[in-house]
Amino acid sequence: MTSPEFTNPTTVDAATLRDLLTTGGDLRVLDVRTPGEFETAHIPGAYNVPLDLLREHRAELRAHLDDQVVLVCRSGARATQAGQTLAEVGLPNVKILDGGMLAWQHTDAPVNRGRSRWDLERQVRLVAGVIVLSSVLGSLLLPGLQWVAALMGAGLTVAALTNTCAMGMLLAKLPYNRGTASCDLTTIVGQLRETGARR
């Protein structure tokens, strides 16, 4: 159930976020993309808290998020889902980076870069396209296989209507998307405590 306070999330544009980060206020930027996407490019000082981990451990994370929070993903969809999740545990005043990392990079704001990987949305498009193309071409040899393409179309329709993506959640668990850095609850809470103690 979506929290009533989060039906219209507050957004912050890239230029405003950049100003907030340079003034050094009590602001935490949580990047909810996969560790692989985070390693490819992220906002300096951001914490990587993948969406699936945030959903599973929202109450534990909430205990360490009493400051201003800005949520970031590639374009804003996953950050909005993360905001709804945090609102359910009593943190409704989070902000979403409008346009996500795409908008941040478009303004030539500083970015920490690592090994380049495809973002999750691109991977979903590739897998969905391969499944549809293979099932349509395969139906020339095995009649009825085109129904796999129809099921994929239905799944993509549901994903669009619900603003969720089961295929994306599955792909996020692949080693390719896990990255090399440790991204578990203990590590994230330790990072949040460490920076909180320095303030």
Side-chain angles (χ1 to χ4, degrees):
M1 184 171 113
T2 302
S3 170
E5 298 93 0
F6 210 79
T7 51
N8 294 312
T10 304
T11 59
V12 60
D13 62 56
T16 303
L17 177 57
R18 191 173 180 178
D19 290 342
L20 289 170
L21 290 171
T22 56
T23 58
D26 290 338
L27 177 70
R28 298 201 193 219
V29 177
L30 302 186
D31 191 319
V32 298
R33 297 175 299 153
T34 66
E37 290 174 293
F38 182 80
E39 282 182 10
T40 296
H42 64 270
I43 296 171
Y47 301 90
N48 186 212
V49 185
L51 183 57
D52 59 344
L53 188 135
L54 185 139
R55 282 180 173 151
E56 185 178 346
H57 299 288
R58 59 185 161 231
E60 296 98 319
L61 290 167
R62 167 62 181 101
H64 302 282
L65 295 174
D66 50 6
D67 303 319
Q68 295 180 36
V69 175
V70 176
L71 298 168
V72 178
C73 66
R74 178 180 181 268
S75 61
R78 284 179 276 175
T80 300
Q81 292 173 33
Q84 291 168 347
T85 299
L86 290 174
E88 291 169 5
V89 291
L91 191 66
N93 298 322
V94 298
K95 293 179 176 55
I96 308 297
L97 175 59
D98 191 24
M101 280 300 294
L102 295 176
W104 181 263
Q105 291 173 309
H106 184 70
T107 63
D108 292 324
V111 173
N112 288 349
R113 296 191 183 278
R115 178 178 158 220
S116 183
R117 291 180 177 86
W118 282 16
D119 58 62
L120 202 55
E121 285 85 357
R122 186 176 181 188
Q123 294 175 50
V124 168
R125 291 192 304 266
L126 173 69
V127 172
V130 167
I131 290 171
V132 169
L133 181 61
S134 300
S135 59
V136 169
L137 292 176
S139 69
L140 298 173
L141 298 172
L142 296 169
L145 199 56
Q146 73 273 8
W147 290 108
V148 174
L151 287 173
M152 180 58 61
L156 292 172
T157 302
V158 169
L161 293 174
T162 61
N163 200 24
T164 61
C165 184
M167 185 186 300
M169 288 186 273
L170 290 173
L171 289 172
K173 297 185 183 310
L174 293 175
Y176 176 82
N177 290 313
R178 284 295 177 200
T180 57
S182 178
C183 195
D184 57 51
L185 180 64
T186 305
T187 303
I188 293 166
V189 167
Q191 291 170 347
L192 292 170
R193 280 185 183 153
E194 182 181 313
T195 55
R198 287 197 303 251
R199 291 179 178 172

